[in-house]
């Protein structure tokens, strides 16, 4: 068994996460803090809402996060982490401090730099003076002290405060939409019951141009659960496709009726396809072709669908239909405990996931569409693209335009 152990150890050494992976993880942590309000104190302890990691982060690991946040220009979060590190550092004894490869002075230098980048010269000067209280002969601190005092004197002569500078770490529209805690109640003026055959559908129109429609309580739990479990097993099999090696699975799992190996999975797949075809009739859709049904999984990092349009078949499939629109149905296969909203950023629309509901929108007209990060589990969504010909007929509502 020794050769097998050697191969495994060599593989682990060659595939340990590097700086690029660390930067990605830190950017996800920044999103959690901005969107869900998770504090640096909780993250340092390994706590995210009701979830707790096996061990807390070390002070060195926390400082590595700070350095990555500096590269991402997340200045306000840098200050939050430095405050948390300072609090923990003050509780260490002399022996524990000596084992670290940074000092309290280093933390105050980083703090002063962060404050100054936010044009908060008063706090930058205060952090610098704390350094001089520890080491009065620190040349860098002495130079910075003179520099910050000159800045404050200049501001005092002008008689106004320095303007705030908007950094790249400020909240984007995506972050603001994901941070909305209270969902808007359904408006009776925008809701109706539509019938196809013997079935009624609860339809809520979120926007008319471009059309965005939410269908409530379309699929029963049995349908979405069977297909969700099937997709999860497929992703697991892809992750361990090669013995002794882990491969990152694709973002999507395509469900093809003829390839479903279980009878009940095929039955629920037919039910889902039939219901989506009925929903297309409800809103007068005339798809020229249906693309393959994709199942995607959204976790702590969230997902921007606009980065995967080709893989998810959200682009026209033939040149002759290049001027047509690509529409899409999003089927929520479970309800996220916290987060997971479907975001149509350009339209300012945020839709909370509810198991069994379906969101319809035009992917080609609303390219900035995403999912918010989820906490307390992951979100499973079935994506069904459909392609429409350019409209060559008049609708009743067009006559008055």
């Amino acid at each position: 068994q020794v050769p097998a152990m050697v191969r495994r150890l060599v593989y682990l050494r060659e595939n340990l996460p590097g700086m690029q992976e660390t930067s990605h993880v830190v950017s996800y942590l920044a999103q959690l803090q901005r969107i869900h309000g998770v504090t640096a104190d909780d993250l340092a302890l390994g706590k995210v809402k009701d979830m707790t990691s096996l061990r807390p982060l070390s002070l060195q690991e926390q400082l590595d996060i700070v350095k990555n946040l500096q590269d991402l220009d997340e200045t306000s979060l840098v200050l939050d982490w430095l405050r948390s590190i300072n609090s923990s550092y003050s509780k260490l004894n002399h022996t524990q401090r000596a084992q670290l490869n940074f000092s309290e002075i280093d933390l105050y230098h980083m703090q002063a730099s962060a404050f100054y980048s936010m044009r908060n010269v008063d706090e930058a000067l205060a952090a610098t003076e704390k350094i001089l209280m520890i080491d009065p002969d620190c040349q860098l601190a002495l130079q910075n002290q003179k520099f910050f005092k000159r800045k404050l004197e200049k501001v005092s002569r002008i008689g106004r405060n320095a303007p705030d500078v908007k950094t790249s770490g400020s909240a984007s529209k995506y972050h603001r939409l994901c941070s909305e805690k209270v969902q808007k109640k359904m408006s009776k003026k925008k809701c109706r019951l539509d019938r196809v055959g013997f079935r009624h559908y609860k339809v809520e129109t979120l926007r008319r141009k471009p059309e965005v429609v939410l269908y409530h309580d379309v699929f029963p739990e049995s349908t979405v659960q069977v297909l969700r479990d099937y997709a999860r097993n497929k992703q697991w099999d892809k992750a361990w496709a090669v013995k002794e090696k882990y491969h990152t699975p694709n973002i999507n799992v395509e469900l093809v009726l003829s390839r479903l190996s279980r009878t009940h999975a095929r039955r629920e797949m037919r039910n889902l396809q039939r219901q989506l075809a009925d929903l297309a009739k409800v809103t007068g859709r005339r798809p020229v072709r249906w693309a393959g049904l994709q199942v995607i999984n959204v976790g702590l990092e969230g997902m921007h669908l606009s980065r995967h349009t080709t893989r998810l078949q959200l682009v026209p499939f033939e040149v002759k239909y290049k001027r047509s629109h690509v529409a899409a149905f999003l089927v929520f296969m479970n309800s996220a405990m916290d987060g997971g909203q479907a975001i149509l950023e350009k339209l300012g629309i945020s839709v909370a996931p509810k198991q069994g509901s379906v969101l319809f929108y035009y992917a080609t007209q609303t390219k900035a569409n995403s999912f918010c990060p989820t906490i307390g589990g992951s979100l499973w969504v079935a994506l069904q693209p459909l392609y429409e010909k350019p409209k060559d007929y008049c609708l009743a509502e067009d006559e008055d335009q």
Side-chain angles (χ1 to χ4, degrees), residues 132-280:
L132 294 173
M133 291 176 63
I134 300 171
D135 182 8
D137 299 325
C138 179
Q139 292 301 312
L140 179 59
L142 290 171
Q143 293 173 7
N144 287 339
Q145 184 186 41
K146 293 179 182 178
F147 175 77
F148 293 144
K149 284 183 176 180
R150 284 199 301 270
K151 284 287 183 181
L152 289 175
E153 289 174 359
K154 183 177 179 181
V155 170
S156 179
R157 286 197 303 271
I158 296 175
R160 60 181 177 85
N161 293 326
D164 293 331
V165 176
K166 185 177 180 180
T167 64
S168 59
S170 57
S172 66
K173 191 172 183 180
Y174 167 73
H175 289 153
R176 291 197 301 271
L177 288 170
C178 288
S179 300
E180 293 179 356
K181 300 300 180 184
V182 180
Q183 295 295 319
K184 297 179 181 178
K185 295 183 179 180
M186 289 187 296
S187 170
K188 293 182 179 180
K189 295 181 180 179
K190 297 182 180 179
C191 295
R192 66 183 189 274
L193 280 177
D194 283 347
R195 192 179 77 174
V196 176
F198 295 101
R199 174 150 187 162
H200 288 81
Y201 292 96
K202 292 184 284 186
V203 184
E204 180 184 2
T205 303
L206 303 179
R207 189 182 176 95
R208 296 192 181 277
K209 290 185 179 181
E211 189 173 12
V212 181
V213 181
L214 181 62
Y215 302 90
H216 295 272
D217 306 322
V218 177
F219 295 102
E221 183 178 356
S222 58
T223 298
V224 291
Q225 183 176 355
V226 167
L227 297 178
R228 183 182 69 229
D229 293 343
Y230 186 89
R232 179 166 45 222
N233 292 335
K234 279 293 183 182
Q235 275 207 337
W236 179 267
D237 292 341
K238 287 183 180 180
W240 295 100
V242 181
K243 190 176 181 181
E244 296 187 358
K245 288 189 177 183
Y246 174 81
H247 288 259
T248 303
N250 298 327
I251 65 165
N252 63 316
V253 175
E254 186 170 0
L255 296 187
V256 181
L257 183 62
S258 60
R259 297 178 186 173
L260 297 181
S261 56
R262 298 182 180 180
T263 303
H264 61 291
R266 290 198 297 272
R267 181 180 65 248
E268 299 300 349
M269 180 71 172
R270 290 192 189 95
N271 180 40
L272 186 142
Q273 291 176 327
R274 184 170 58 253
Q275 298 283 10
L276 291 181
D278 286 345
L279 293 182

Side-chain angles (χ1 to χ4, degrees), residues 17 59 63 89 100 149 205 261:
L59 288 181
L63 192 64
Y89 188 92
L100 299 173
K149 284 183 176 180
T205 303
S261 56

